[in-house]
Amino acid sequence: MTPDHPLNRATSQSKGSRDTAEVDVLIIGAGPTGLTAAVEALRNGLTVRIVERQPERGMFSKALVVHARTMEVFALMGVDGDIRKAGTPFAALNLHFNNRKKRVHVDLLEQPWGDTAYPYWLSVPQHDTERVLENRLTGLGGVVEWSTALRSVEDRGSYVEATVIHDGTTEIVRAGWVIGCDGGRSTVREQSGIALKRAGAGATFLLADVKTTSDLIENEGHLFLAPEGLFILVPMPEPRRWRLIAQVSSSDDKMVTTVDSARLDELIYARAGITFGAHDVSWISQFNLSHGVAERFRSGRVFLAGDAAHIHSPVGGQGLNTGVQDAHNLMWRISESRRAAPERAERLLAGYQAERQGTAGAMVGGVARMTAIMTSPGLLARRLRSVVAPLIVSRGLVQAKLARGVGMLNLSYEKRRGLRGTPILSVGSRLPNPELGEGDRLYDRLPTTGYSWVVCDDSSTGSGSDVPDTDTLHEESPYWMGLPLVVVGSSAFHQHDGKPRRSTVILVRPDRYIAAVDSNPESLWPTPLLG
Ligand SMILES: Cc1cc2nc3c(=O)[nH]c(=O)nc-3n(C[C@H](O)[C@H](O)[C@H](O)COP(=O)(O)OP(=O)(O)OC[C@H]3O[C@@H](n4cnc5c(N)ncnc54)[C@H](O)[C@@H]3O)c2cc1C
């Protein structure tokens, strides 16, 4: 705890007694979700405290893959450059079938990534992602309160009363909102009476981060659908270091305590046919797969985000990504709700669960189905793996899904879809991020917090370079509400389904999703920002 920190100044403390704190947001847990929430709270002008029961950041690599949509969120937060520096893009994925008799090589960098500045899967250990996020938090004047555990939360209607313990001292914190980013065994979830049913996936995995003496290509991943079980090799940014994930028999439940480099070598040779030369094992773990989604993501002034709200199979590599995106979605809503009329404020807050629970449900369900196909010993699953899967993943359209689909760039909060399932330029879709011909993209011209307008002007050249004087536009129409405004030629969206055929105005949310779209700002009146 750092009681003299500026953000904590409203806290009055005396050891072992009942105290109060006035803070907008209290975040429980300093994993990737909590750190994102804390950075976003500060960037959106809220006061924040973030408590973490551990004494320091864990050094386990855990989540290794950061996806394109998460990088777009990191860009809004101002950390995309540092995250990129800490990681290595995957160049390719090699899928091995039928005892390695058939291999499908998927060149990930050559897939049709479309309108993103981050056309790759980035391998970056979770502790590095957390380090970058914590540095950003510190740069904004925030601080993680280590060794501080939440014990209970009580929603008092106009605030939440949380009891936290630090060094045996109990403190009562009064916060406007409490965000439970406290992981799969969330105390906040339990205290709020929110159920999360875990379903076991019936598969046990051994995981190890280990160095190799082999000359495996450093930036290509491998997935082996072997008769003994699923086996995955993921390159890590440190030269010659790999993450291996091996399905093992559930009766091998103590394998983790006996396995050494020699045993890993045997396992890798048996599953992958690689003479690996395992050494310098930096992390080893064993887990049974399970998954589930909380029945609610909110109880009054208490919200859940990240693993506290949804538990994923690590095999899918989506847990951290979904948590970061949850936290970002929630914090701009809380910030906006403070300026909004009561009805709109409630709609904004309700929108968090409406959008993120469905997204998490689809993600968790999809990964669970894929995991079942890849791990089940049943005859049907075995046939799917040996006969159907190699045919399916050889198809270009399926491989393309490993780019935008897995990268979460097609994630839309509305049901209408364009050709091939791509989102269309309509409410609830991600605003496209086309190049504008001057070495920049549309997102580079938009603010990183708050709402803004994008005007597609079909009378302009389409280069996006002839941006009219926005002050003049604002004077012409009060309907712009003084928000930042960027004008592009309508051809900027030429590759997008549902591209505008005439002048179009788009009201853009703080997360670069489309809040409203029409032919002029007057026809959008009253905008969704009022009401
Ligand atoms: C082996 C493995 C591999 C994975 N690989 C991937 C991957 O490649 N890609 C991916 O996206 N995801 C992956 N994941 C999942 C990813 O690690 C999690 O989804 C991610 O850590 C969730 O972040 P979080 O911040 O929501 O929760 P956590 O990281 O679990 O953080 C929660 C924090 O809350 C703290 N806390 C808990 N209770 C309290 C309390 N009462 N008071 C105060 N603090 C508390 C905890 O100490 C912890 O620091 C993997 C997970 C594992 C285990």
Side-chain angles (χ1 to χ4, degrees):
M1 176 91 67
T2 51
D4 54 351
H5 190 275
L7 291 170
N8 297 351
R9 268 185 200 141
T11 311
S12 68
Q13 297 184 61
S14 64
K15 284 221 158 197
S17 69
R18 177 196 156 94
D19 294 329
T20 58
E22 299 296 337
V23 69
D24 295 329
V25 185
L26 173 66
I27 293 163
I28 314 301
T33 306
L35 290 167
T36 300
V39 168
E40 286 309 282
L42 290 179
R43 281 197 336 109
N44 282 287
L46 302 166
T47 56
V48 66
R49 289 182 63 179
I50 172 168
V51 299
E52 165 57 56
R53 74 174 166 201
Q54 297 298 336
E56 60 191 344
R57 189 177 326 118
M59 279 318 289
F60 297 138
S61 55
K62 287 168 75 179
L64 262 194
V65 187
V66 170
H67 287 301
R69 175 60 198 157
T70 309
M71 287 298 280
E72 292 185 349
V73 170
F74 284 157
L76 287 166
M77 296 169 65
V79 297
D80 56 322
D82 286 344
I83 297 279
R84 173 67 186 81
K85 264 189 235 148
T88 310
F90 277 69
L93 194 58
N94 297 287
L95 304 153
H96 305 259
F97 300 94
N98 293 337
N99 256 339
R100 308 191 299 277
K101 289 189 198 98
K102 165 118 184 119
R103 182 180 79 128
V104 178
H105 176 84
V106 183
D107 189 334
L108 289 172
L109 299 177
E110 288 303 310
Q111 297 304 315
W113 281 93
D115 64 336
T116 184
Y118 310 98
Y120 43 75
W121 297 8
L122 192 70
S123 169
V124 47
Q126 181 164 329
H127 53 75
D128 280 334
T129 303
E130 291 176 4
R131 173 182 52 78
V132 170
L133 290 171
E134 193 186 342
N135 285 345
R136 179 71 173 123
L137 179 68
T138 312
L140 289 166
V143 65
V144 176
E145 298 175 29
W146 298 101
S147 303
T148 307
L150 175 89
R151 177 155 293 176
S152 64
V153 276
E154 252 338 302
D155 191 334
R156 301 278 187 214
S158 56
Y159 64 92
V160 188
E161 207 167 82
T163 307
V164 298
I165 314 266
H166 171 76
D167 267 354
T169 300
T170 300
E171 184 192 0
I172 309 291
V173 182
R174 282 167 48 142
W177 289 274
V178 166
I179 321 295
C181 304
D182 49 346
R185 309 207 176 276
S186 168
T187 307
V188 176
R189 190 179 69 224
E190 184 220 9
Q191 286 280 313
S192 308
I194 299 176
L196 185 152
K197 270 200 203 130
R198 278 175 190 255
T204 304
F205 281 87
L206 180 78
L207 172 153
D209 289 352
V210 56
K211 286 189 106 170
T212 182
T213 55
S214 74
D215 51 7
L216 266 172
I217 298 174
E218 292 270 350
N219 57 0
E220 296 191 1
H222 296 265
L223 186 144
F224 298 84
L225 289 163
E228 308 90 328
L230 179 62
F231 183 75
I232 302 173
L233 278 172
V234 185
M236 297 179 69
E238 184 187 343
R240 294 189 177 272
R241 187 168 293 285
W242 291 75
R243 152 85 48 90
L244 76 82
I245 304 176
Q247 187 182 356
V248 292
S249 156
S250 55
S251 57
D252 284 341
D253 63 344
K254 289 283 175 282
M255 189 168 174
V256 69
T257 55
T258 56
V259 80
D260 56 10
S261 295
R263 179 77 184 88
L264 287 175
D265 272 342
E266 272 171 38
L267 181 81
I268 298 168
Y269 189 78
R271 301 284 181 93
I274 297 167
T275 306
F276 195 77
H279 61 283
D280 192 3
V281 180
S282 57
W283 185 35
I284 193 145
S285 174
Q286 190 165 346
F287 54 90
N288 292 318
L289 286 192
S290 68
H291 47 81
V293 179
E295 56 166 358
R296 286 175 289 139
F297 281 20
R298 178 187 178 195
S299 170
R301 290 181 162 269
V302 179
F303 290 88
L304 302 178
D307 275 18
H310 39 75
I311 296 165
H312 300 238
S313 141
V315 174
Q318 305 280 22
L320 175 147
N321 289 275
T322 311
V324 165
Q325 292 173 38
D326 285 348
H328 187 265
N329 186 302
L330 178 58
M331 296 320 296
W332 71 257
R333 287 175 179 282
I334 288 181
S335 165
E336 284 291 327
S337 75
R338 289 168 22 119
R339 290 187 276 272
E343 230 176 84
R344 178 170 173 256
E346 187 43 42
R347 268 207 312 277
L348 276 163
L349 297 177
Y352 170 66
Q353 172 170 312
E355 294 189 348
R356 298 308 299 173
Q357 192 185 34
T359 301
M363 205 78 78
V364 167
V367 171
R369 281 190 294 280
M370 282 306 294
T371 308
I373 291 172
M374 289 193 289
T375 58
S376 165
L379 186 65
L380 179 64
R382 287 206 320 264
R383 256 194 101 62
L384 279 173
R385 288 199 290 267
S386 61
V387 183
V388 183
L391 295 175
I392 291 179
V393 297
S394 301
R395 298 179 58 191
L397 270 181
V398 174
Q399 293 186 5
K401 288 207 161 136
L402 292 172
R404 290 187 70 82
V406 174
M408 303 177 173
L409 292 167
N410 287 345
L411 199 158
S412 169
Y413 298 128
E414 65 119 62
K415 298 220 160 33
R416 286 173 59 211
R417 288 296 171 109
L419 294 172
R420 298 179 184 170
T422 50
I424 57 178
L425 204 62
S426 61
V427 175
S429 292
R430 168 183 164 276
L431 178 75
N433 186 23
E435 285 173 314
L436 296 180
E438 292 175 13
D440 66 348
R441 289 179 177 271
L442 177 55
Y443 287 7
D444 302 327
R445 299 189 187 185
L446 295 173
T448 57
T449 52
Y451 284 81
S452 54
W453 295 101
V454 171
V455 177
C456 309
D457 180 4
D458 62 5
S459 62
S460 82
T461 59
S463 69
S465 56
D466 52 352
V467 178
D469 179 352
T470 51
D471 286 345
T472 320
L473 274 173
H474 277 135
E475 274 164 28
E476 280 169 11
S477 172
Y479 296 111
W480 301 111
M481 300 188 303
L483 294 174
L485 188 154
V486 172
V487 181
V488 296
S490 56
S491 64
F493 295 122
H494 69 282
Q495 286 180 323
H496 215 73
D497 287 343
K499 66 187 173 192
R501 287 179 181 77
R502 58 195 163 101
S503 291
T504 299
V505 298
I506 302 169
L507 181 61
V508 184
R509 300 187 342 185
D511 57 358
R512 309 270 160 86
Y513 270 68
I514 297 175
V517 56
D518 212 321
S519 54
N520 57 64
E522 290 86 341
S523 52
L524 284 176
W525 202 259
T527 78
L529 299 188
L530 302 172

mmCIF file of all heavy atoms in Angstrom, residues 421-455:
data_model
loop_
_atom_site.group_PDB
_atom_site.id
_atom_site.type_symbol
_atom_site.label_atom_id
_atom_site.label_comp_id
_atom_site.label_asym_id
_atom_site.label_seq_id
_atom_site.Cartn_x
_atom_site.Cartn_y
_atom_site.Cartn_z
ATOM 1 N N GLY A 421 -19.282 -13.577 -43.975
ATOM 2 C CA GLY A 421 -19.343 -13.343 -42.531
ATOM 3 C C GLY A 421 -18.631 -12.103 -42.042
ATOM 4 O O GLY A 421 -18.521 -11.876 -40.851
ATOM 5 N N THR A 422 -18.104 -11.281 -42.973
ATOM 6 C CA THR A 422 -17.409 -10.080 -42.494
ATOM 7 C C THR A 422 -18.441 -9.068 -41.996
ATOM 8 O O THR A 422 -19.544 -8.990 -42.524
ATOM 9 C CB THR A 422 -16.595 -9.412 -43.612
ATOM 10 O OG1 THR A 422 -17.446 -9.257 -44.737
ATOM 11 C CG2 THR A 422 -15.377 -10.215 -43.971
ATOM 12 N N PRO A 423 -18.086 -8.297 -40.970
ATOM 13 C CA PRO A 423 -19.034 -7.314 -40.472
ATOM 14 C C PRO A 423 -19.273 -6.222 -41.520
ATOM 15 O O PRO A 423 -18.432 -6.004 -42.388
ATOM 16 C CB PRO A 423 -18.329 -6.718 -39.263
ATOM 17 C CG PRO A 423 -17.111 -7.491 -39.058
ATOM 18 C CD PRO A 423 -16.816 -8.250 -40.287
ATOM 19 N N ILE A 424 -20.407 -5.586 -41.448
ATOM 20 C CA ILE A 424 -20.671 -4.507 -42.394
ATOM 21 C C ILE A 424 -20.605 -3.175 -41.664
ATOM 22 O O ILE A 424 -20.552 -3.133 -40.446
ATOM 23 C CB ILE A 424 -22.019 -4.696 -43.104
ATOM 24 C CG1 ILE A 424 -23.138 -4.787 -42.079
ATOM 25 C CG2 ILE A 424 -22.004 -5.928 -43.977
ATOM 26 C CD1 ILE A 424 -24.490 -4.919 -42.706
ATOM 27 N N LEU A 425 -20.549 -2.120 -42.475
ATOM 28 C CA LEU A 425 -20.392 -0.793 -41.892
ATOM 29 C C LEU A 425 -21.713 -0.386 -41.239
ATOM 30 O O LEU A 425 -22.513 0.322 -41.834
ATOM 31 C CB LEU A 425 -20.020 0.168 -43.020
ATOM 32 C CG LEU A 425 -19.273 1.431 -42.640
ATOM 33 C CD1 LEU A 425 -17.937 1.113 -42.013
ATOM 34 C CD2 LEU A 425 -19.082 2.297 -43.874
ATOM 35 N N SER A 426 -21.967 -0.885 -40.049
ATOM 36 C CA SER A 426 -23.237 -0.557 -39.404
ATOM 37 C C SER A 426 -23.061 -0.591 -37.894
ATOM 38 O O SER A 426 -22.015 -1.031 -37.381
ATOM 39 C CB SER A 426 -24.327 -1.532 -39.840
ATOM 40 O OG SER A 426 -23.957 -2.826 -39.452
ATOM 41 N N VAL A 427 -24.088 -0.145 -37.205
ATOM 42 C CA VAL A 427 -24.024 -0.012 -35.747
ATOM 43 C C VAL A 427 -23.601 -1.343 -35.105
ATOM 44 O O VAL A 427 -24.117 -2.399 -35.456
ATOM 45 C CB VAL A 427 -25.409 0.416 -35.208
ATOM 46 C CG1 VAL A 427 -25.413 0.458 -33.685
ATOM 47 C CG2 VAL A 427 -25.798 1.767 -35.786
ATOM 48 N N GLY A 428 -22.662 -1.273 -34.180
ATOM 49 C CA GLY A 428 -22.216 -2.483 -33.472
ATOM 50 C C GLY A 428 -21.026 -3.165 -34.117
ATOM 51 O O GLY A 428 -20.507 -4.141 -33.581
ATOM 52 N N SER A 429 -20.598 -2.668 -35.297
ATOM 53 C CA SER A 429 -19.426 -3.258 -35.953
ATOM 54 C C SER A 429 -18.181 -2.442 -35.640
ATOM 55 O O SER A 429 -18.261 -1.249 -35.349
ATOM 56 C CB SER A 429 -19.591 -3.234 -37.474
ATOM 57 O OG SER A 429 -20.606 -4.097 -37.851
ATOM 58 N N ARG A 430 -17.042 -3.082 -35.774
ATOM 59 C CA ARG A 430 -15.769 -2.382 -35.611
ATOM 60 C C ARG A 430 -15.593 -1.418 -36.779
ATOM 61 O O ARG A 430 -15.803 -1.788 -37.931
ATOM 62 C CB ARG A 430 -14.640 -3.414 -35.585
ATOM 63 C CG ARG A 430 -13.245 -2.883 -35.712
ATOM 64 C CD ARG A 430 -12.247 -4.043 -35.753
ATOM 65 N NE ARG A 430 -10.942 -3.641 -36.249
ATOM 66 C CZ ARG A 430 -10.618 -3.555 -37.541
ATOM 67 N NH1 ARG A 430 -11.512 -3.831 -38.485
ATOM 68 N NH2 ARG A 430 -9.394 -3.190 -37.890
ATOM 69 N N LEU A 431 -15.231 -0.175 -36.480
ATOM 70 C CA LEU A 431 -14.936 0.779 -37.544
ATOM 71 C C LEU A 431 -13.722 0.271 -38.328
ATOM 72 O O LEU A 431 -12.711 -0.067 -37.718
ATOM 73 C CB LEU A 431 -14.603 2.142 -36.935
ATOM 74 C CG LEU A 431 -14.221 3.236 -37.938
ATOM 75 C CD1 LEU A 431 -15.465 3.755 -38.661
ATOM 76 C CD2 LEU A 431 -13.481 4.372 -37.247
ATOM 77 N N PRO A 432 -13.812 0.183 -39.650
ATOM 78 C CA PRO A 432 -12.613 -0.239 -40.404
ATOM 79 C C PRO A 432 -11.465 0.753 -40.193
ATOM 80 O O PRO A 432 -11.686 1.913 -39.846
ATOM 81 C CB PRO A 432 -13.099 -0.207 -41.858
ATOM 82 C CG PRO A 432 -14.574 -0.250 -41.787
ATOM 83 C CD PRO A 432 -14.952 0.436 -40.514
ATOM 84 N N ASN A 433 -10.263 0.259 -40.418
ATOM 85 C CA ASN A 433 -9.075 1.106 -40.213
ATOM 86 C C ASN A 433 -8.248 1.147 -41.489
ATOM 87 O O ASN A 433 -7.114 0.656 -41.532
ATOM 88 C CB ASN A 433 -8.249 0.548 -39.042
ATOM 89 C CG ASN A 433 -7.085 1.456 -38.687
ATOM 90 O OD1 ASN A 433 -7.110 2.661 -38.983
ATOM 91 N ND2 ASN A 433 -6.060 0.886 -38.062
ATOM 92 N N PRO A 434 -8.804 1.737 -42.576
ATOM 93 C CA PRO A 434 -8.082 1.716 -43.854
ATOM 94 C C PRO A 434 -6.862 2.623 -43.836
ATOM 95 O O PRO A 434 -6.786 3.582 -43.056
ATOM 96 C CB PRO A 434 -9.129 2.246 -44.839
ATOM 97 C CG PRO A 434 -10.028 3.094 -44.011
ATOM 98 C CD PRO A 434 -10.080 2.463 -42.649
ATOM 99 N N GLU A 435 -5.914 2.305 -44.729
ATOM 100 C CA GLU A 435 -4.790 3.222 -44.959
ATOM 101 C C GLU A 435 -5.338 4.428 -45.699
ATOM 102 O O GLU A 435 -6.206 4.290 -46.560
ATOM 103 C CB GLU A 435 -3.719 2.526 -45.794
ATOM 104 C CG GLU A 435 -2.934 1.530 -44.968
ATOM 105 C CD GLU A 435 -1.967 0.701 -45.792
ATOM 106 O OE1 GLU A 435 -2.375 0.196 -46.858
ATOM 107 O OE2 GLU A 435 -0.832 0.558 -45.355
ATOM 108 N N LEU A 436 -4.794 5.610 -45.386
ATOM 109 C CA LEU A 436 -5.335 6.826 -45.994
ATOM 110 C C LEU A 436 -4.387 7.441 -47.003
ATOM 111 O O LEU A 436 -4.572 8.566 -47.427
ATOM 112 C CB LEU A 436 -5.696 7.839 -44.900
ATOM 113 C CG LEU A 436 -6.819 7.382 -43.962
ATOM 114 C CD1 LEU A 436 -7.106 8.439 -42.910
ATOM 115 C CD2 LEU A 436 -8.094 7.053 -44.730
ATOM 116 N N GLY A 437 -3.354 6.711 -47.363
ATOM 117 C CA GLY A 437 -2.516 7.173 -48.467
ATOM 118 C C GLY A 437 -1.411 8.116 -48.063
ATOM 119 O O GLY A 437 -0.652 8.570 -48.899
ATOM 120 N N GLU A 438 -1.298 8.459 -46.817
ATOM 121 C CA GLU A 438 -0.209 9.343 -46.390
ATOM 122 C C GLU A 438 0.626 8.651 -45.320
ATOM 123 O O GLU A 438 1.163 9.277 -44.412
ATOM 124 C CB GLU A 438 -0.777 10.649 -45.836
ATOM 125 C CG GLU A 438 -1.424 11.476 -46.918
ATOM 126 C CD GLU A 438 -2.093 12.716 -46.354
ATOM 127 O OE1 GLU A 438 -1.843 13.054 -45.185
ATOM 128 O OE2 GLU A 438 -2.862 13.320 -47.095
ATOM 129 N N GLY A 439 0.668 7.322 -45.424
ATOM 130 C CA GLY A 439 1.458 6.551 -44.459
ATOM 131 C C GLY A 439 0.747 6.390 -43.134
ATOM 132 O O GLY A 439 1.329 5.878 -42.188
ATOM 133 N N ASP A 440 -0.484 6.862 -43.055
ATOM 134 C CA ASP A 440 -1.206 6.640 -41.804
ATOM 135 C C ASP A 440 -2.530 5.949 -42.087
ATOM 136 O O ASP A 440 -2.916 5.742 -43.236
ATOM 137 C CB ASP A 440 -1.416 7.946 -41.027
ATOM 138 C CG ASP A 440 -2.333 8.923 -41.749
ATOM 139 O OD1 ASP A 440 -2.622 8.700 -42.951
ATOM 140 O OD2 ASP A 440 -2.771 9.894 -41.121
ATOM 141 N N ARG A 441 -3.178 5.560 -41.002
ATOM 142 C CA ARG A 441 -4.472 4.898 -41.091
ATOM 143 C C ARG A 441 -5.515 5.767 -40.405
ATOM 144 O O ARG A 441 -5.178 6.678 -39.642
ATOM 145 C CB ARG A 441 -4.415 3.529 -40.404
ATOM 146 C CG ARG A 441 -3.599 2.493 -41.168
ATOM 147 C CD ARG A 441 -3.559 1.173 -40.416
ATOM 148 N NE ARG A 441 -2.836 0.173 -41.191
ATOM 149 C CZ ARG A 441 -3.398 -0.635 -42.090
ATOM 150 N NH1 ARG A 441 -4.710 -0.590 -42.308
ATOM 151 N NH2 ARG A 441 -2.677 -1.495 -42.760
ATOM 152 N N LEU A 442 -6.782 5.412 -40.648
ATOM 153 C CA LEU A 442 -7.874 6.202 -40.080
ATOM 154 C C LEU A 442 -7.751 6.328 -38.558
ATOM 155 O O LEU A 442 -7.906 7.419 -38.002
ATOM 156 C CB LEU A 442 -9.216 5.541 -40.461
ATOM 157 C CG LEU A 442 -10.471 6.177 -39.893
ATOM 158 C CD1 LEU A 442 -10.554 7.660 -40.232
ATOM 159 C CD2 LEU A 442 -11.717 5.444 -40.402
ATOM 160 N N TYR A 443 -7.435 5.204 -37.875
ATOM 161 C CA TYR A 443 -7.383 5.263 -36.405
ATOM 162 C C TYR A 443 -6.347 6.287 -35.924
ATOM 163 O O TYR A 443 -6.499 6.860 -34.846
ATOM 164 C CB TYR A 443 -7.019 3.895 -35.814
ATOM 165 C CG TYR A 443 -8.091 2.825 -35.870
ATOM 166 C CD1 TYR A 443 -9.289 3.004 -36.553
ATOM 167 C CD2 TYR A 443 -7.901 1.608 -35.215
ATOM 168 C CE1 TYR A 443 -10.251 2.002 -36.605
ATOM 169 C CE2 TYR A 443 -8.863 0.602 -35.250
ATOM 170 C CZ TYR A 443 -10.025 0.798 -35.956
ATOM 171 O OH TYR A 443 -10.974 -0.203 -35.987
ATOM 172 N N ASP A 444 -5.268 6.472 -36.714
ATOM 173 C CA ASP A 444 -4.229 7.414 -36.285
ATOM 174 C C ASP A 444 -4.773 8.838 -36.192
ATOM 175 O O ASP A 444 -4.177 9.697 -35.541
ATOM 176 C CB ASP A 444 -3.045 7.400 -37.258
ATOM 177 C CG ASP A 444 -2.431 6.023 -37.385
ATOM 178 O OD1 ASP A 444 -2.437 5.295 -36.377
ATOM 179 O OD2 ASP A 444 -1.970 5.662 -38.487
ATOM 180 N N ARG A 445 -5.885 9.110 -36.887
ATOM 181 C CA ARG A 445 -6.425 10.480 -36.884
ATOM 182 C C ARG A 445 -7.537 10.671 -35.856
ATOM 183 O O ARG A 445 -8.079 11.772 -35.740
ATOM 184 C CB ARG A 445 -6.974 10.808 -38.283
ATOM 185 C CG ARG A 445 -5.885 10.740 -39.337
ATOM 186 C CD ARG A 445 -6.360 11.257 -40.659
ATOM 187 N NE ARG A 445 -5.345 11.031 -41.676
ATOM 188 C CZ ARG A 445 -5.437 11.464 -42.914
ATOM 189 N NH1 ARG A 445 -6.503 12.136 -43.301
ATOM 190 N NH2 ARG A 445 -4.469 11.209 -43.773
ATOM 191 N N LEU A 446 -7.916 9.588 -35.189
ATOM 192 C CA LEU A 446 -9.017 9.678 -34.225
ATOM 193 C C LEU A 446 -8.464 9.843 -32.812
ATOM 194 O O LEU A 446 -7.353 9.398 -32.517
ATOM 195 C CB LEU A 446 -9.873 8.403 -34.290
ATOM 196 C CG LEU A 446 -10.607 8.161 -35.609
ATOM 197 C CD1 LEU A 446 -11.266 6.779 -35.609
ATOM 198 C CD2 LEU A 446 -11.661 9.230 -35.839
ATOM 199 N N PRO A 447 -9.252 10.442 -31.916
ATOM 200 C CA PRO A 447 -8.779 10.571 -30.529
ATOM 201 C C PRO A 447 -8.725 9.198 -29.863
ATOM 202 O O PRO A 447 -9.379 8.258 -30.326
ATOM 203 C CB PRO A 447 -9.847 11.448 -29.874
ATOM 204 C CG PRO A 447 -11.076 11.227 -30.692
ATOM 205 C CD PRO A 447 -10.618 10.966 -32.093
ATOM 206 N N THR A 448 -7.968 9.082 -28.777
ATOM 207 C CA THR A 448 -7.834 7.769 -28.115
ATOM 208 C C THR A 448 -8.786 7.613 -26.927
ATOM 209 O O THR A 448 -8.799 6.571 -26.270
ATOM 210 C CB THR A 448 -6.387 7.530 -27.641
ATOM 211 O OG1 THR A 448 -6.029 8.594 -26.767
ATOM 212 C CG2 THR A 448 -5.422 7.465 -28.812
ATOM 213 N N THR A 449 -9.543 8.658 -26.612
ATOM 214 C CA THR A 449 -10.639 8.498 -25.642
ATOM 215 C C THR A 449 -11.846 9.247 -26.198
ATOM 216 O O THR A 449 -11.697 10.165 -27.004
ATOM 217 C CB THR A 449 -10.314 9.113 -24.250
ATOM 218 O OG1 THR A 449 -9.886 10.449 -24.445
ATOM 219 C CG2 THR A 449 -9.261 8.342 -23.513
ATOM 220 N N GLY A 450 -13.012 8.903 -25.756
ATOM 221 C CA GLY A 450 -14.229 9.632 -26.108
ATOM 222 C C GLY A 450 -14.748 9.308 -27.509
ATOM 223 O O GLY A 450 -14.129 8.570 -28.275
ATOM 224 N N TYR A 451 -15.908 9.869 -27.793
ATOM 225 C CA TYR A 451 -16.560 9.661 -29.103
ATOM 226 C C TYR A 451 -15.963 10.602 -30.152
ATOM 227 O O TYR A 451 -15.354 11.623 -29.822
ATOM 228 C CB TYR A 451 -18.055 9.963 -28.986
ATOM 229 C CG TYR A 451 -18.857 8.884 -28.306
ATOM 230 C CD1 TYR A 451 -18.906 8.791 -26.917
ATOM 231 C CD2 TYR A 451 -19.591 7.958 -29.054
ATOM 232 C CE1 TYR A 451 -19.655 7.808 -26.288
ATOM 233 C CE2 TYR A 451 -20.350 6.973 -28.432
ATOM 234 C CZ TYR A 451 -20.377 6.903 -27.051
ATOM 235 O OH TYR A 451 -21.119 5.929 -26.434
ATOM 236 N N SER A 452 -16.173 10.266 -31.408
ATOM 237 C CA SER A 452 -15.729 11.147 -32.500
ATOM 238 C C SER A 452 -16.587 10.863 -33.731
ATOM 239 O O SER A 452 -17.361 9.890 -33.752
ATOM 240 C CB SER A 452 -14.252 10.902 -32.805
ATOM 241 O OG SER A 452 -14.028 9.535 -33.049
ATOM 242 N N TRP A 453 -16.432 11.700 -34.730
ATOM 243 C CA TRP A 453 -17.147 11.504 -35.998
ATOM 244 C C TRP A 453 -16.160 11.146 -37.107
ATOM 245 O O TRP A 453 -15.062 11.693 -37.158
ATOM 246 C CB TRP A 453 -17.827 12.804 -36.452
ATOM 247 C CG TRP A 453 -18.922 13.307 -35.580
ATOM 248 C CD1 TRP A 453 -18.839 14.313 -34.676
ATOM 249 C CD2 TRP A 453 -20.284 12.859 -35.556
ATOM 250 N NE1 TRP A 453 -20.057 14.528 -34.072
ATOM 251 C CE2 TRP A 453 -20.958 13.638 -34.602
ATOM 252 C CE3 TRP A 453 -20.987 11.868 -36.248
ATOM 253 C CZ2 TRP A 453 -22.313 13.470 -34.313
ATOM 254 C CZ3 TRP A 453 -22.330 11.702 -35.969
ATOM 255 C CH2 TRP A 453 -22.984 12.491 -35.012
ATOM 256 N N VAL A 454 -16.590 10.257 -37.996
ATOM 257 C CA VAL A 454 -15.887 10.075 -39.262
ATOM 258 C C VAL A 454 -16.884 10.417 -40.354
ATOM 259 O O VAL A 454 -18.029 9.928 -40.339
ATOM 260 C CB VAL A 454 -15.379 8.627 -39.445
ATOM 261 C CG1 VAL A 454 -14.852 8.415 -40.865
ATOM 262 C CG2 VAL A 454 -14.270 8.336 -38.436
ATOM 263 N N VAL A 455 -16.477 11.303 -41.248
ATOM 264 C CA VAL A 455 -17.344 11.692 -42.361
ATOM 265 C C VAL A 455 -16.742 11.135 -43.644
ATOM 266 O O VAL A 455 -15.583 11.405 -43.962
ATOM 267 C CB VAL A 455 -17.439 13.231 -42.452
ATOM 268 C CG1 VAL A 455 -18.282 13.639 -43.648
ATOM 269 C CG2 VAL A 455 -18.003 13.789 -41.166
#
